[in-house]
Amino acid sequence: MKLAMIGLGKMGGNMAARLLRHKIEVVGFDFNTEFVNQLVQNEGLIAASSVQDAVSKLGVNNETQQKIIWMMLPAGEITEKQIKDLIPMLNKGDIIVDGGNSNYKHSQRRGAMLAEHGIGFMDSGTSGGVWGLDNGYCLMVGATPEVAEAVSPALKALAPAAHRGWAHVGPVGSGHFTKMIHNGIEYGMMQAMAEGLDLIKGKKEFNLDLAQITELWRHGSVVRSWLLDLTAEALKQDQNLGDIAPYVADSGEGRWTVVEAVEQGVAAPVLTLALQMRFASQEDDGYSYKLLSMMRNAFGGHAVKSSK
């Protein structure tokens, strides 16, 4: 199998590397040539000088083969423009995969637009952060059965194992919808953990060791999780989190989840309040906010605002 990867940043670059390690040929393009050169030297990436060049290099050996373009780009106008730019470069039967965090409604619209040109579309909600290269990614895929089947070798390579960690969850839009709800739940889990640890830290008379307690909870406890693993590991290094500012950014998925709850008329107080607490962090102070910022950095490599 051979595909093109457009966008080789923290996620896209690692995903390209994992595909290459699973013997899938990858043609890669990114405006940051340093990212591209590292993947060429270390993983055997086929470098492209532009998106057009990447598409053309997919057909070098067989001009009639189905072309698959996997995009790992920021949601919004950048993704929208790239999809529109790709249309004249592709043929009927070719496929575009959006592995970023696009709004599912935009994915539905884009899928319908591409279908008018005979081009397949897949929205792949992607979770795994900076650890996905070694551990694999959780992939929530929305597509027609035919498109899902065509892309499945790549999905199996990216996932933790060929038959787990990825799923064709439904039609176009359902992959990004599922990932949106996943991230909303993530907000709630992070908020609960941060508040609980803030309470433990605040009980001065017991002089409790947060590193000890979070490590303890990792074994046999009902709250054990990968998120707890990352938190425990970080607290071993620095319980005070002195270099981290109590500022927690919010990504689009958390907001979209709350909007979805309103549109469906479904009560989602935990997810909604978790989002509101991120807003509060942007103009407030507190240890729990430092914990939230640390967690985001631990699993996703998201930038941390320094307290200095």
Side-chain angles (χ1 to χ4, degrees):
M1 184 182 190
K2 187 176 185 180
L3 60 78
M5 182 72 73
I6 309 301
L8 299 170
K10 284 181 293 189
M11 287 284 282
N14 280 350
M15 291 170 72
R18 186 170 175 89
L19 288 168
L20 288 160
R21 294 178 188 182
H22 283 76
K23 310 305 179 186
I24 291 177
E25 288 187 278
V26 180
V27 181
F29 171 73
D30 194 285
F31 286 108
N32 189 320
T33 55
E34 183 180 348
F35 292 166
V36 177
N37 292 337
Q38 287 178 354
L39 287 165
V40 170
Q41 295 170 12
N42 299 333
E43 307 291 348
L45 179 84
I46 302 169
S49 58
S50 66
V51 173
Q52 177 78 60
D53 186 40
V55 173
S56 67
K57 284 182 175 175
L58 289 179
V60 168
N61 299 322
N62 179 3
E63 289 296 337
T64 64
Q65 74 180 23
Q66 184 179 48
K67 297 182 179 67
I68 298 174
I69 314 296
W70 193 304
M71 305 187 312
M72 292 302 296
L73 300 173
E77 186 56 36
I78 292 176
T79 291
E80 182 79 13
K81 184 178 185 304
Q82 186 60 79
I83 289 175
K84 289 179 178 178
D85 288 349
L86 278 167
I87 291 173
M89 304 180 198
L90 301 178
N91 302 315
K92 287 186 177 181
D94 291 343
I95 295 170
I96 295 175
V97 181
D98 179 6
N101 284 325
S102 293
N103 187 300
Y104 78 94
K105 294 180 180 179
H106 295 169
S107 295
Q108 288 179 301
R109 174 178 53 76
R110 290 163 182 162
M113 174 185 69
L114 290 169
E116 294 177 359
H117 297 272
I119 298 171
F121 180 71
M122 172 182 286
D123 53 294
S124 176
T126 308
S127 183
V130 295
W131 301 85
L133 174 58
D134 294 326
N135 299 339
Y137 298 87
C138 177
L139 301 164
M140 297 147 261
V141 167
T144 63
E146 296 75 19
V147 168
E149 178 63 27
V151 184
S152 63
L155 299 172
K156 292 175 181 179
L158 289 168
H163 300 293
R164 60 179 170 84
W166 73 276
H168 178 204
V169 298
V172 168
S174 63
H176 281 152
F177 177 81
T178 305
K179 177 57 163 46
M180 178 186 78
I181 303 302
H182 165 282
N183 281 28
I185 293 170
E186 177 187 292
Y187 274 41
M189 292 173 64
M190 290 172 65
Q191 185 66 33
M193 193 174 296
E195 290 178 10
L197 293 175
D198 199 3
L199 286 169
I200 289 175
K201 186 175 185 294
K203 196 65 173 176
K204 302 298 185 184
E205 65 184 277
F206 289 153
N207 192 29
L208 297 169
D209 185 332
L210 269 67
Q212 179 194 47
I213 291 169
T214 49
E215 178 63 30
L216 169 67
W217 286 352
R218 293 178 63 199
H219 307 283
S221 161
V222 295
V223 298
R224 64 188 183 274
S225 63
W226 183 46
L227 188 58
L228 180 63
D229 293 343
L230 294 171
T231 302
E233 204 58 43
L235 290 174
K236 287 177 186 176
Q237 311 302 319
D238 175 19
Q239 292 191 35
N240 292 321
L241 306 178
D243 293 335
I244 298 177
Y247 180 97
V248 191
D250 66 285
S251 57
E253 302 95 309
R255 298 189 187 203
W256 300 337
T257 301
V258 173
V259 171
E260 182 69 25
V262 173
E263 290 180 350
Q264 290 193 27
V266 172
V270 173
L271 308 188
T272 302
L273 186 56
L275 173 66
Q276 296 292 337
M277 293 305 291
R278 292 203 178 190
F279 295 157
S281 80
Q282 296 166 19
E283 54 187 44
D284 204 345
D285 193 5
Y287 184 70
S288 65
Y289 300 134
K290 292 188 175 190
L291 284 163
L292 288 169
S293 184
M294 174 272 291
M295 289 180 206
R296 293 183 79 247
N297 176 260
F299 67 72
H302 301 291
V304 172
K305 191 172 182 179
S306 173
S307 62
K308 298 177 180 177

